[in-house]
Amino acid sequence: MSNKLEKTSDELEQTLAKQLEMLKKESEEWLKVGAVVAVGVLLTYGIVKVTRKKKVKTTDKALEVLEKEGLLNEDIKKRLTKPKGSSFWPNLTQRLLILGLAMAKEKLFVDMFAPPAEVKEREEGK
């Protein structure tokens, strides 16, 4: 009985060792992926931080100049310091403009590059 228990304990130790080796191999891959993600996040954060500083500095300089000239009031200050939010409508109008250009290109390019005989036939058919 004790011999049987020793065999099972040895088998369990071996399977545990194999599982630990597999875990180490898998964790190396995850560690590499995590490191790449972390570097990407840090780069993005740094770029955003640098670009925001420039915007804040130019706004602050503009506010200082307006204040020196005596032209700064609450309305102008509010407009300059208010964060700009994104809107749905400009994006929609851009998409509609691109769609319109694509449709116009489709209609006009056929007539521009077609031989004159085909263009006359199309005009007569309409």
Side-chain angles (χ1 to χ4, degrees):
M1 177 125 174
S2 65
N3 202 9
K4 209 178 212 186
L5 289 175
E6 287 178 13
K7 285 183 182 179
T8 55
S9 68
D10 287 340
E11 288 175 2
L12 288 174
E13 286 177 8
Q14 288 176 357
T15 56
L16 181 62
K18 287 180 183 178
Q19 288 176 351
L20 286 174
E21 287 177 25
M22 297 267 300
L23 180 65
K24 286 180 185 178
K25 287 180 184 177
E26 290 176 2
S27 65
E28 286 176 5
E29 293 173 7
W30 283 107
L31 183 64
K32 290 177 185 176
V33 170
V36 169
V37 169
V39 168
V41 167
L42 288 175
L43 284 174
T44 305
Y45 177 75
I47 290 170
V48 168
K49 193 83 166 172
V50 167
T51 57
R52 283 191 181 169
K53 284 183 181 179
K54 289 180 182 176
K55 290 180 183 176
V56 170
K57 287 182 182 179
T58 56
T59 304
D60 289 341
K61 288 179 183 178
L63 287 173
E64 288 176 10
V65 169
L66 287 172
E67 190 173 352
K68 286 180 185 176
E69 298 293 325
L71 300 172
L72 184 65
N73 60 19
E74 285 299 317
D75 186 41
I76 293 173
K77 187 175 182 179
K78 189 184 294 183
R79 285 183 187 178
L80 289 175
T81 57
K82 182 180 176 184
K84 296 179 181 176
S86 62
S87 175
F88 174 73
W89 294 112
N91 193 15
L92 181 65
T93 55
Q94 289 173 356
R95 289 181 185 202
L96 287 175
L97 177 67
I98 291 171
L99 179 66
L101 289 173
M103 290 177 67
K105 181 183 92 171
E106 216 174 273
K107 298 268 184 186
L108 293 176
F109 275 5
V110 172
D111 291 340
M112 287 174 65
F113 296 113
E118 289 182 16
V119 174
K120 288 181 183 178
E121 290 175 5
R122 286 191 188 149
E123 289 177 1
E124 291 173 1
K126 289 182 180 177

